[in-house]
Amino acid sequence: MNFKRIAVIAALATSSLSLAADAPELWRKHCKSCHGEDGKAKTKTGAKEKIDDMTTEAWQTKWTDEKCKKAIVDGVKDTKMKSFKEKLSEEDVDALIKHMRGFKG
Ligand code: HEC
């Protein structure tokens, strides 16, 4: 097998991998700008919009999977939290909710 062929196979392998939901990647791309890398919302928008710190016990208890899902899919009324219905698949949303559970503690 020559080098060119290996390069083509490597390119194909990485492009098909990126189709799968990768929560940290999705978070960085769609959510981090407001909610911060760690979910604490220590961002410009976070301060301005008084976005909740997702790492607290209280937040994690209040925001059940179901409520989070609704917020992400439909958006939160009268806030900068817009609907991600067009941008994320159902699998993406589920993966992001799991990712947010990792902010706890
Ligand atoms: C333009 C800024 C912005 C972006 C981008 C954004 N959010 Fe939000 N988000 C907000 C604001 C503002 C609120 C409502 C304020 C608050 O936290 O109470 C909110 C609320 C939420 C809530 C409801 C819980 C809560 O604390 O109010 C969830 C869940 C959530 N966002 C998840 C996400 C996820 C997941 C993404 C990425 C797919 C995302 N957000 C992207 C600004 C943003």
Side-chain angles (χ1 to χ4, degrees), residues 3-19:
F3 177 74
K4 230 178 187 169
R5 192 155 173 166
I6 294 171
V8 168
I9 291 169
L12 283 174
T14 32
S15 70
S16 63
L17 267 180
S18 68
L19 289 176

Side-chain angles (χ1 to χ4, degrees), residues 36-52:
E37 173 87 39
D38 55 5
K40 289 186 178 169
K42 298 225 177 300
T43 63
K44 238 187 194 166
T45 314
K48 211 166 134 203
E49 305 296 324
K50 299 188 172 58
I51 300 181
D52 294 343

Side-chain angles (χ1 to χ4, degrees), residues 53-88:
D53 177 351
M54 293 177 168
T55 66
T56 66
E57 185 81 46
W59 189 93
Q60 292 284 339
T61 310
K62 179 181 171 194
W63 287 92
T64 58
D65 287 4
E66 213 170 296
K67 282 201 210 163
C68 286
K69 195 167 196 168
K70 194 170 181 327
I72 300 164
V73 174
D74 298 336
V76 180
K77 206 166 168 273
D78 301 326
T79 75
K80 293 242 186 297
M81 180 69 199
K82 301 297 172 213
S83 163
F84 281 89
K85 208 179 335 197
E86 310 291 330
K87 292 195 179 128
L88 301 171

